[in-house]
Amino acid sequence: MKKENTVTVFLMGKAYRVPAGLTIMKAMEYAGYRLVRGVGCRGGYCGACATVYRLPGDYRLYADLACQTTVQDGMYIAQLPFTPATRAPYRLEELAPQGETLLALYPELARCVACNTCTKACPQKLEVMDAVQQALRGDIAQVAELTFDCVSCGLCTMRCPAEIMHYHVWQLARRLHGAYQAPRSGHLADRVGQIRQGAFHGELDRLMAMGKDELAQAYKARDIEP
Amino acid sequence: MKRVAYFPGCALKDQARGYEAGAKKALEVLGYELVELSRWNCCGTVYALAQDDLVRHLGPVRNLVRTQEMGLDQLVTLCAMCYGTLRRSQRFVEEDEERLSRIRAFMDEEQEYAGGVKVLHLLNLLRDEIGFEPLESKVTRPLEGLKVGAYYGCMLLRPRDVGVDDPDRPEVMERVLGALGATPVLFPERTECCGAYLTVARPDVVQARSERILASAKSSGADVVVTSCPLCQFNLENRRPAWAAGLPVVYLGEVLAWALVQGATVPEEIQARIGKPAEVKA
Amino acid sequence: MAGELNLCRERLEGALPRKVEEISGQNPYACYQCGKCSAGCLFADHMDVLPNQVIRLVQLGDEGVAAFRAPWVCAACLACAVRCPRGVDIGKVMEALRVLALRRGLTPAPLNLGERYPQIALVGAFRKFTP
């Protein structure tokens, strides 16, 4: 490979020359890493491949997903595939969708100093600090809205000086919102009713009766939403 | 209608909703619209007294930046603790160029804080901008016969250079109550601390304080105690001894609404003291 | 308070008074021990040493001051600060002692978080009692 088509990156402190244009995840595999943790969907949804890096001549510590970020020359990279965070024990059906619920289960929310480090660390570009502040003042719907695209990568939680365990709080807020506050979806209830009444049994029986080749054929020919 | 930037603080969106609702409506009657900051964050509730820890001032300064973004230079608070932290942080970072530049460098994602946002408490607004006489002229339901003990607590008055009035002999709340037609009752503990955040670590200490404060107000003849601090309100209501149950602790905004706002809901025990409801003054 | 006090130059010029001054911005040696702060302190009943004694221990460079309960019972109400005839903000000195302890990993008894508190109480308590 021509030299101009490669970049040098530092993985866990060791230099590797890798093709330009690879994602961090692919660069690691190119360099010989076999990823069994810290890798998942490879599509930016599962949040398993949290990574941090610095670039030459830049004081910032960047945080991103390894599967979504292209390597740059001189990148210093480390993986943070998991951030320890304990989920508060609760049963959703015993909770009330009240503002104080979040604070009662996660009182450390009150330690936020509004430094905004969480927002800067978010690979999904969420307004994380605003969500903490909404959680503190008890607006569950706002928290659910602001964190809808959270992939639970844990980067904000790792960087937080107040030791808040963001992704568990967000999950609780979304669950409370979904269970108690969001409007019920009429067509979902209709569809569940159809399933219960056996509207799709025939289709399933037809699939069950297929052989392996026929099933593969049907899979390839399936309708895919654009 | 004059528009002023408004910082609510967490309590005003939760346990002290009645304070916000009352104050907003009462201020509308007085020609002021409280415009809530579009994004705001907790002030920190207790001002950081350690001068070597700038991180604790980030929250307050962000709120000052939000005010600046609105093109306004006054920020009004209803909560005494928010007032204390915001006002003190504003002074702390502005009195030292190096501090301000360090804060700016840290908050490089924000519009640069230019300085000069003036933090006001509701009482500043009532006394210095609106005035007691115009306030009195807008009263539609004078609170005649209601004896009110104004409880200042700490953060409205101390330290001296930040307090809204003389830390030992304040009168601003009494003047407001007088303008509303109520009878202000002075009681010895009106400027003494309720124990504040010790309520989490030492509820016993706060209980002893609440008892002293309420006993002082009650023996001075107060029918009701008024405060502008949600933490004082929580402590006095939740750490109070059983014998003091008949002495309600209400927010300044609620009292303003009773006197100024047509159709404001007045609790029964208060209604009984001030007589007939909502008669429009000729 | 300590039964025996060892007064020596090393202590008076030692780390504690300087550190307290750095954090609080207050000169502990400005205090002339009039006791007005302690006389007016609403929380003195619950303290093991009085506010003026806390200042004295700082003046003497006594690191043992960290073990006393007094700074953790102080509610930062600043009644002492507005009354001090020498202009010492004793509330800031108390805060410096709390901050020093917390930064050294010495924490007061864990907070009772079992009860429901308003945000304003929790935020305040976390800021004063946790590092």
Side-chain angles (χ1 to χ4, degrees), chain A residues 80-205:
Chain A
L80 288 176
F82 183 70
T83 299
T86 40
R87 189 179 77 84
Y90 59 80
R91 292 177 65 83
L92 193 63
E93 56 273 28
E94 290 166 7
L95 295 182
Q98 288 159 351
E100 61 195 45
T101 304
L102 299 179
L103 203 56
L105 288 168
Y106 297 101
E108 64 279 1
L109 281 165
R111 282 167 45 84
C112 175
V113 290
C115 69
N116 211 23
T117 308
C118 50
T119 306
K120 291 177 183 168
C122 181
Q124 295 291 87
K125 307 285 174 260
L126 305 180
E127 292 291 349
V128 188
M129 181 184 82
D130 288 3
V132 173
Q133 292 295 326
Q134 295 289 356
L136 186 55
R137 69 186 85 143
D139 194 330
I140 291 170
Q142 274 291 325
V143 179
E145 179 70 27
L146 285 167
T147 66
F148 187 82
D149 289 329
C150 170
V151 293
S152 302
C153 68
L155 282 164
C156 53
T157 299
M158 183 59 93
R159 297 281 280 133
C160 178
E163 293 148 307
I164 293 167
M165 293 174 277
H166 308 69
Y167 60 89
H168 287 313
V169 185
W170 306 159
Q171 185 185 53
L172 173 58
R174 289 192 302 267
R175 285 176 171 171
L176 285 167
H177 183 64
Y180 299 110
Q181 295 177 327
R184 297 279 128 203
S185 148
H187 47 270
L188 178 67
D190 292 348
R191 181 53 56 91
V192 171
Q194 287 169 1
I195 293 168
R196 288 224 167 97
Q197 281 161 22
F200 301 98
H201 284 181
E203 182 72 7
L204 283 169
D205 290 343

Side-chain angles (χ1 to χ4, degrees), chain B residues 15 199 229-240 251, chain C residues 115-118 120-121:
Chain B
Q15 105 258 21
T199 202
C229 176
L231 189 48
C232 294
Q233 204 268 354
F234 173 82
N235 284 340
L236 294 181
E237 285 286 0
N238 293 276
R239 306 274 184 242
R240 64 166 58 202
Y251 289 112
Chain C
E115 202 184 323
R116 289 268 165 109
Y117 300 102
I120 195 167

Side-chain angles (χ1 to χ4, degrees), chain C residues 1 5-21 26-35 37 51-65 84 86 88 90 93 97:
Chain C
M1 295 182 76
L5 207 53
N6 178 18
L7 286 178
C8 56
R9 242 186 108 136
E10 287 72 33
R11 245 184 177 191
L12 297 183
E13 291 168 2
L16 183 71
R18 271 190 289 115
K19 201 73 199 157
V20 166
E21 183 164 1
Q26 305 299 303
N27 175 9
Y29 295 113
C31 165
Y32 55 29
Q33 290 291 308
C34 72
C37 49
N52 72 300
Q53 294 174 315
V54 169
I55 306 279
R56 188 70 184 136
L57 288 168
V58 172
Q59 289 176 339
L60 297 175
D62 191 336
E63 295 277 347
V65 70
C84 176
R86 299 286 291 146
V88 180
I90 297 126
V93 174
L97 294 171

Side-chain angles (χ1 to χ4, degrees), chain B residues 140-141 261-264 271 276-280:
Chain B
T140 52
R141 176 167 29 197
V261 179
Q262 302 266 359
Q271 189 66 63
K276 289 191 175 174
E279 282 171 13
V280 182

Side-chain angles (χ1 to χ4, degrees), chain B residues 6-271:
Chain B
Y6 163 54
F7 176 81
C10 311
L12 279 285
K13 294 294 172 191
D14 203 344
Q15 105 258 21
R17 280 197 194 95
Y19 183 8
E20 178 180 73
K24 272 189 159 174
K25 283 188 202 141
L27 282 172
E28 262 174 45
V29 172
L30 296 164
Y32 279 80
E33 186 194 351
L34 293 183
V35 186
E36 184 173 325
L37 300 182
S38 55
R39 287 167 61 212
W40 50 267
N41 48 259
C42 173
C43 67
T45 80
V46 285
Y47 177 73
L49 295 163
Q51 64 171 17
D52 65 342
D53 188 1
L54 287 182
V55 168
R56 308 282 170 127
H57 300 280
L58 294 173
V61 175
R62 275 187 212 285
N63 294 313
L64 301 177
V65 173
R66 298 283 101 78
T67 313
Q68 180 179 287
E69 285 168 352
M70 290 167 79
L72 297 170
D73 61 359
Q74 288 183 327
L75 180 60
V76 171
T77 64
L78 304 179
C79 166
M81 296 195 81
C82 296
Y83 169 74
T85 49
L86 294 175
R87 182 85 200 277
R88 296 192 74 181
S89 280
Q90 177 255 328
R91 293 168 64 107
F92 180 75
V93 301
E94 287 183 30
E95 73 190 13
D96 183 316
E97 191 56 44
E98 195 200 327
R99 264 179 221 150
L100 186 56
S101 63
R102 278 167 66 194
I103 291 256
R104 282 172 175 161
F106 184 88
M107 303 199 312
D108 56 359
E109 77 279 19
E110 296 278 15
Q111 189 184 93
E112 196 168 272
Y113 177 55
V117 170
K118 181 120 172 77
V119 179
L120 300 175
H121 186 264
L122 172 63
L123 287 166
N124 294 121
L125 200 63
L126 291 170
R127 180 189 58 199
D128 307 331
E129 300 228 350
I130 295 167
F132 300 123
E133 279 176 29
L135 173 64
E136 193 174 345
S137 73
K138 297 281 185 188
V139 171
T140 52
R141 176 167 29 197
L143 305 177
E144 274 161 23
L146 188 67
K147 290 189 217 148
V148 189
Y151 177 57
Y152 290 87
C154 313
M155 294 305 139
L156 275 182
L157 301 174
R158 297 186 288 268
R160 195 180 293 273
D161 54 356
V162 169
V164 300
D165 208 344
D166 185 299
D168 296 312
R169 282 175 296 277
E171 56 165 32
V172 55
M173 245 199 294
E174 284 79 7
R175 295 285 300 274
V176 168
L177 293 166
L180 303 180
T183 309
V185 172
L186 299 181
F187 61 103
E189 295 269 334
R190 69 198 176 109
T191 65
E192 306 283 35
C193 180
C194 69
Y197 57 84
L198 289 183
T199 202
V200 179
R202 292 293 304 269
D204 57 319
V205 174
V206 176
Q207 196 164 4
R209 287 301 312 140
S210 298
E211 182 160 7
R212 281 280 290 277
I213 293 160
L214 290 169
S216 167
K218 196 157 186 150
S219 64
S220 302
D223 301 321
V224 56
V225 171
V226 64
T227 176
S228 75
C229 176
L231 189 48
C232 294
Q233 204 268 354
F234 173 82
N235 284 340
L236 294 181
E237 285 286 0
N238 293 276
R239 306 274 184 242
R240 64 166 58 202
W243 57 259
L247 192 61
V249 180
V250 300
Y251 289 112
L252 181 59
E254 298 176 273
V255 179
L256 285 167
W258 299 339
L260 297 165
V261 179
Q262 302 266 359
T265 323
V266 182
E268 268 178 38
E269 71 259 35
I270 305 294
Q271 189 66 63

